[in-house]
Amino acid sequence: VKLGKSVVVAMAAVALVASSALAADMSDLRNEALDHFAPLPSTPVFKEGNRPNDAKITLGRMLFFDARLSKSNVFSCNSCHNLGTGGVDNNSFSTGHRWQVGGRNAPTVFNASLHIAQFWDGRAADVEAQAVGPELNPVEMGATEALIMERLASIPAYVKLFSDAFPEQRKPLRYENVGAAIGAFERTLLTPSAFDAYLNGNESALSGKEKKGLAAFMNVGCVNCHNGVAVGGNSYQVFGAVNQPENLADKGRFDVTGKEEDLHVFKVPSLRNIELTYPYFNDGSVWELEKAVKIMGWTQLGEKLSDKQIDEIVAFLGSLTGVAESYDLPTLPPSTAKTPRPDRN
Amino acid sequence: VKLGKSVVVAMAAVALVASSALAADMSDLRNEALDHFAPLPSTPVFKEGNRPNDAKITLGRMLFFDARLSKSNVFSCNSCHNLGTGGVDNNSFSTGHRWQVGGRNAPTVFNASLHIAQFWDGRAADVEAQAVGPELNPVEMGATEALIMERLASIPAYVKLFSDAFPEQRKPLRYENVGAAIGAFERTLLTPSAFDAYLNGNESALSGKEKKGLAAFMNVGCVNCHNGVAVGGNSYQVFGAVNQPENLADKGRFDVTGKEEDLHVFKVPSLRNIELTYPYFNDGSVWELEKAVKIMGWTQLGEKLSDKQIDEIVAFLGSLTGVAESYDLPTLPPSTAKTPRPDRN
C-alpha cells in the first residue's frame, strides 16, 4: 500500500488527536477513581496506644506463626490466614480443634488493619482486638488465656520479647498484649498493587482492559460499597439489597447487635487480593470470581452483568493483587520443661 | 600479697606451660572429633539424576508449603515439618486427616538429605522417595496421586514450573517429580552450626563446657552411633542394646524387612538441632533433652550418666543448633475453576 505524503500527515494528525482524547479520557478515569478510592498508605498505620517497635513486630510475627497459641499445637494464626495464600486458607470454612469446622469464611489478614472493624460481623474493633479471639474459640484453636500465658511465660525468649515490646508496662506478659503484638505485626501486612501505582499517577500501571473494568466497576455501582483505601471494608451492607441470594442462613451482624435492621448485614469485604482469597462470600460458597461478580451485580445492584462486563471487572480486580513473592517464616523459640504440652482433646 | 620477681617469673612460666598444654588438649579434642564427625558440606549435595535448577528449587519450596497436597487442603509438608520450629511440629505424634494421629514422631527435614535413608525405619531411600509418601497416607494427608496431579495440572504456574524444573522430560507433570522437586528443595535445608565452625578449625566456636560435653559424648560412647556429618542418621541400631527401654511397642525396621534381627531397630536420629526437635524418640515420649540423654546412656550403653555429664553433653548438643532466623514462606499460585476442591471427609 502506498500513500501520498499529505495523506500520511493527515492520518498522523488524526492519530494524535485520538491519542490525546484517549489520554484525556484516561486521566478523567483516574480522577473519577480518586473520588472513590485512595492508594494504600506508604507506611503502616499503627493504633494509638499501641506504638510499634522492632521487638513488638518481631513478637507479633512469631506469635502469628506459633501453634502453641492453640490447645493442640496444631494450628497457628497462619493456618487459616496463610500469608502464602493471600492471607486465607482457601477453604469455605476453616478446620479447627478436633477437626471441627467454623461457620464463616476466614477473611484475609492482608490490609485488614484498614477496615472499620474486624470479622464479617464487625464484632471486634480492630486487628488488636480480633487477634485475641480465635485462640479461645472452642471450634478454632481451643485454648484458654491461662494456657497460652502459661506457655509463653515458660519460654525465656518470649518473656524478654514481651518486656522489650511493651517497655512502658510493669506487667507486659498479659494476654491483651498477645493481641497488641499480633495486631501491630498485621498492620505491616499491606500489599501495594498496580492499582495503587495507577492511583498514584502511573497511567500505564493498568492495562486497557483493566481500565475498562475499573470504569465498569464504577459505572455499574460496585463502587457504592467497594470503595476507599481497601476497596471495601469500610461499611456494613445487607446481603441481598435488591435480590435475594441463594443462601441466607447466616444472620450476620444481627448476631452482634440484635437489631432487625442488621439481619443479613455484613461488613463489605475488601477486594484487595480478591483473586487469591477464594472461595467467596461469608459462607465461602462461590469459587469463581466471575460467578461472585455476577451474583453481586444481581443481589446488590439488580444488574444482570454481561459476560464482557464481568470479564473486564475481573481484569480490574486482578490489578488489586499485591502480595509479595514470599514472607518471613520466623524461627520460634523452643519450649522448656515448664511449658504446658499440647493437648489434642 | 607480695611475691619476689623470680617467683613471678616461675609462675608465668608454669602458666605458659599450662596454657599450651590446654591448647594441645583442645587441639587433640578437635582431632579426635574429626575422627568421628565431619562438618556440613558448604553446598547442598544433590542426587544423581535429580540435578537442581532454580525452577526446581522454587517448585519444591512451593510444594513443600502447599496444602493442596492434602485431601482437605489443611496440611502441607510444613505442617509437620515446620521450618519455623526446627523442621518438626514438636508434638509426640502428628495430627493428620480427620484428626487422625500418626504412630511415630515426625523427624526433622533439616539435614535429612544427609541420612542413609528416610523415616525412622529407613523405608525410603532418600528425601526424594520420602517426599511422595505422607501425601498418600490415609492418616496423614489423605490424598491420592490422581487428586494431587489433577490439582497441580489445573494451575498454570505449576505446569510451567514443572516444565522448567524438568526440561529433559517429555512429561514433566508426574507425581514422581513432586518428590524430586521437594527432595531437591529439602537438600538445601542444611544448618551449619557452631560445631561445624569448630570442626573447620575455629577452636573458640565451642565454649569450655561445650568442649567438655563433646569429650564426654565421645568418651562415654554416644559417638558410637551418633557420628558422621549428621551426628547420627547413618546407621540402624536396636533400641535397648544393653538395657530395655520403657516402651517397646514399636517394632521398628522389622516392619520393613520382616527380619527378626530388625526387631526394635531404628535409624539412629541425627542430633543436629536436637534442642529444637523435642519430644524425643520414635514415640515422642520424652520432652527433656536431659532425660533423653540419660535414657540413651542407660539403654544403649549401660551407663548411669552423672548429672554433670548429662549437663555437659546437653551443652555440647546445643552447639549443633544451626537454623536460620527465618525461612522463605513462598506465595503460592491460586487455584482455578478446574482445580479439585478440598475435601475434609
Side-chain angles (χ1 to χ4, degrees), chain B residues 258-311:
Chain B
K259 291 181 187 166
E260 204 62 33
E261 71 209 57
D262 285 334
L263 194 62
H264 312 309
V265 164
F266 297 90
K267 186 183 69 179
V268 175
S270 164
L271 298 184
R272 287 189 177 269
N273 302 302
I274 193 71
E275 69 175 346
L276 302 179
T277 62
Y278 58 89
Y280 303 108
F281 301 153
N282 57 294
D283 60 357
S285 58
V286 171
W287 289 78
E288 292 88 25
L289 191 47
E290 291 75 10
K291 195 174 166 191
V293 169
K294 188 176 184 175
I295 291 173
M296 281 282 107
W298 180 243
T299 61
Q300 305 309 104
L301 300 166
E303 291 276 351
K304 291 202 167 171
L305 298 175
S306 71
D307 287 352
K308 184 164 178 289
Q309 282 176 309
I310 292 172
D311 188 46

Side-chain angles (χ1 to χ4, degrees), chain A residues 68 72-75 84 91 95 98-99 278 287-288 324-332 334-335 341-342 344, chain B residues 68 72-75 84 91 95 98-99 278 287-288 324-332 334-335 341-342 344:
Chain A
R68 285 170 294 198
S72 64
N73 287 15
V74 170
F75 303 109
N91 291 327
T95 294
R98 293 177 62 91
W99 211 247
Y278 60 89
W287 289 77
E288 293 89 27
E325 206 172 305
S326 70
Y327 290 88
D328 270 0
L329 175 69
T331 289
L332 304 176
S335 295
R341 296 179 189 165
R344 289 171 22 97
Chain B
R68 286 169 292 197
S72 63
N73 287 14
V74 170
F75 303 109
N91 290 327
T95 294
R98 294 177 60 92
W99 211 248
Y278 58 89
W287 289 78
E288 292 88 25
E325 206 172 304
S326 70
Y327 290 88
D328 270 0
L329 175 68
T331 288
L332 304 177
S335 295
R341 295 179 190 164
R344 290 171 23 93

Side-chain angles (χ1 to χ4, degrees), chain A residues 209-265:
Chain A
K209 186 174 176 184
E210 288 165 347
K211 286 176 184 168
K212 283 184 187 169
L214 167 58
F217 189 87
M218 295 191 291
N219 295 338
V220 167
C222 312
V223 77
N224 299 351
C225 298
H226 294 284
N227 54 43
V229 65
V231 194
N234 57 348
S235 70
Y236 298 99
Q237 303 291 343
V238 65
F239 189 20
V242 179
N243 292 301
Q244 186 154 319
E246 269 183 35
N247 183 354
L248 270 180
D250 192 330
K251 293 183 179 166
R253 198 162 158 72
F254 175 85
D255 290 341
V256 179
T257 66
K259 292 182 187 165
E260 203 64 33
E261 70 210 56
D262 285 334
L263 194 61
H264 312 310
V265 164

